[in-house]
Amino acid sequence: GGKAIVAGNERVLRARLSDARFFWDQDRKVRLEDRVLALRDRVFHARLGSVYDKVGRVEKLAGYLVDQLSADSRFRRHDELKRLAERAARLAKADLSTGMVGEFPELQGVMGRYYALNDGEDPAVADAIADHYKPLGPNDTCPAAPVGIIVALADKIDTLAAFFAIGEPPTGSRDPFALRRAALGVIRLVLENRLALSLGHAFALAALIVAEAVDATPEQGSIKNALLDFVADRLKVHLREQGIRHDLIAAVFAVDEDDLVRLLARVEALRQFLDSEDGANLLTAYRRAANIVAIEERRDSRRYDGPVDTSLFQPDEIRLWQHLSGMGTALGSFLERGAFDRAMDRLSTLRQPVDEFFEHVTVNVDDKELRENRLRLLSRIRATMNQVADFSQIEG
């Protein structure tokens, strides 16, 4: 009746639980804090040093992230939060040297929390130790407590910056260091917690911290840009199921929008704009203007982004110039405040004067001075619209 099978399973489980009890009793004899130095003997990567070295980098990065997020009401206990985040970062990997995690590796982080509580650490520190590996996959939850968010972000950003710094990004289907998962973790942590964070600044600092410890790292700006491109690719994958177009994400990323919460708000405003008649027609006009300028710039081996001479204008050029003048400043103000809908509304006022310009004005005329002035005017259309997004990236 299965009694022998039950007895056999009980015998195996009893032995495993007995082992666990033994490790629990033994591990608690050494405080978690006293285990941190043992991480020097645990290699993280041959070119990136030990796990202890990584802990030091994450600790520095955690403090920086608290500074960056201090405007958020959840992170306003600034000094206290920084102390807790740096403490949690320091202890986050310490349980790797315990007997329990050595025997049951899947309990890393989980046991760190129990040992931290046993040592009298702040519960916020203990919870952050347990949560800092999260999210481990698409079905895993994200940390929601401030300390846990900070340490989880710092750990993943350091991993990304470190492996990109030594020239080990994923290639094709190969991703031996799970960097795609780390990038998706960063994306989810930022979006699900609605963090107003500049990823570019965070990546640049992480690259600088790595550079101080690792020889022959590339220039920090190149690492930052490579990481932003990598995150943009992961973001497109992440948002595909939500029906958000990848080309709109690329168009907004191209204008140095690296705050993911603002980026998605701008993408949504851009989508609604392009779905309108004015937006669709203005995109067509933009392409016409940009293509003409690009062709002539290639042919003449020069750029046409200099100042225009308003004395050469005919009436349709004057109307277009009047709409363009001051629009750049207005758009910049709306974009800075996150008023993306208002920026799109302002941009839509260009449609009629641009249509009238193309209907009544010939750009490539025999008069060299007039031709160059009109090309500079078209270039101004391109530059003005590209403040909102890089419209050349938009498909369809």
Side-chain angles (χ1 to χ4, degrees), residues 273 282 327 331 343-350 385 388 391:
F273 173 65
L282 189 57
M327 180 172 284
L331 288 176
M344 300 302 168
D345 288 342
R346 186 62 182 267
L347 202 59
S348 68
T349 64
L350 272 179
M385 292 184 65
V388 174
F391 282 81

Side-chain angles (χ1 to χ4, degrees), residues 139-165:
N139 298 319
D140 195 15
T141 57
C142 274
V147 182
I149 292 169
I150 293 290
V151 181
L153 260 180
D155 185 45
K156 292 167 180 59
I157 289 173
D158 171 75
T159 296
L160 289 166
F163 283 107
F164 270 69

Side-chain angles (χ1 to χ4, degrees), residues 151-229:
V151 181
L153 260 180
D155 185 45
K156 292 167 180 59
I157 289 173
D158 171 75
T159 296
L160 289 166
F163 283 107
F164 270 69
I166 62 170
E168 291 283 359
T171 54
S173 61
R174 290 189 69 257
D175 187 10
F177 308 112
L179 300 186
R180 292 188 179 97
R181 186 174 72 185
L184 282 170
V186 169
I187 290 168
R188 286 190 56 197
L189 283 162
V190 170
L191 293 182
E192 292 181 25
N193 290 292
R194 297 195 61 78
L195 304 179
L197 177 69
S198 166
L199 284 182
H201 289 162
F203 288 150
L205 182 74
L208 183 62
I209 293 171
V210 171
E212 292 173 351
V214 180
D215 292 333
T217 54
E219 194 268 327
Q220 283 79 59
S222 66
I223 298 172
K224 179 195 81 170
N225 292 334
L227 284 171
L228 286 175
D229 289 343

Side-chain angles (χ1 to χ4, degrees), residues 6-254:
V6 170
N9 287 339
E10 286 178 345
R11 188 167 60 252
V12 172
L13 285 173
R14 194 175 294 114
R16 296 295 281 161
L17 292 170
S18 177
D19 288 345
R21 180 58 188 246
F22 170 78
F23 291 128
W24 169 248
D25 290 336
Q26 292 299 309
D27 288 342
R28 285 181 298 155
K29 293 177 181 178
V30 180
R31 290 177 58 81
L32 208 55
E33 182 178 12
D34 296 331
R35 294 182 178 277
V36 174
L37 288 179
L39 298 175
R40 288 175 171 170
D41 301 324
R42 188 175 292 269
V43 175
F44 176 63
H45 184 276
R47 294 178 59 194
L48 295 169
S50 66
V51 175
Y52 180 84
D53 297 324
K54 176 176 174 61
V55 164
R57 297 194 303 269
V58 173
E59 196 173 350
K60 287 182 183 178
L61 196 52
Y64 163 81
L65 291 174
V66 173
D67 292 338
Q68 285 297 105
L69 295 168
S70 59
D72 189 318
S73 60
R74 293 168 293 177
F75 300 88
R76 280 199 184 137
R77 292 183 301 113
H78 182 268
D79 292 340
E80 176 69 2
L81 185 58
K82 182 180 279 193
R83 182 185 68 79
L84 293 173
E86 289 174 347
R87 180 67 174 171
R90 180 165 182 79
L91 299 179
K93 309 290 185 184
D95 67 351
L96 294 176
S97 65
T98 62
M100 184 76 84
V101 173
E103 185 69 16
F104 304 97
E106 64 275 16
L107 293 182
Q108 58 186 355
V110 176
M111 292 313 303
R113 176 180 181 275
Y114 284 117
Y115 292 139
L117 291 172
N118 182 75
D119 293 345
E121 297 288 344
D122 190 296
V125 170
D127 290 343
I129 293 170
D131 289 346
H132 86 280
Y133 292 107
K134 294 185 174 184
L136 289 170
N139 298 319
D140 195 15
T141 57
C142 274
V147 182
I149 292 169
I150 293 290
V151 181
L153 260 180
D155 185 45
K156 292 167 180 59
I157 289 173
D158 171 75
T159 296
L160 289 166
F163 283 107
F164 270 69
I166 62 170
E168 291 283 359
T171 54
S173 61
R174 290 189 69 257
D175 187 10
F177 308 112
L179 300 186
R180 292 188 179 97
R181 186 174 72 185
L184 282 170
V186 169
I187 290 168
R188 286 190 56 197
L189 283 162
V190 170
L191 293 182
E192 292 181 25
N193 290 292
R194 297 195 61 78
L195 304 179
L197 177 69
S198 166
L199 284 182
H201 289 162
F203 288 150
L205 182 74
L208 183 62
I209 293 171
V210 171
E212 292 173 351
V214 180
D215 292 333
T217 54
E219 194 268 327
Q220 283 79 59
S222 66
I223 298 172
K224 179 195 81 170
N225 292 334
L227 284 171
L228 286 175
D229 289 343
F230 183 62
V231 168
D233 288 341
R234 295 299 95 207
L235 186 62
K236 292 171 191 174
V237 173
H238 179 67
L239 297 175
R240 187 176 296 152
E241 293 181 357
Q242 300 178 29
I244 298 177
R245 289 167 47 181
H246 68 89
D247 57 327
L248 301 189
I249 296 169
V252 174
F253 244 117

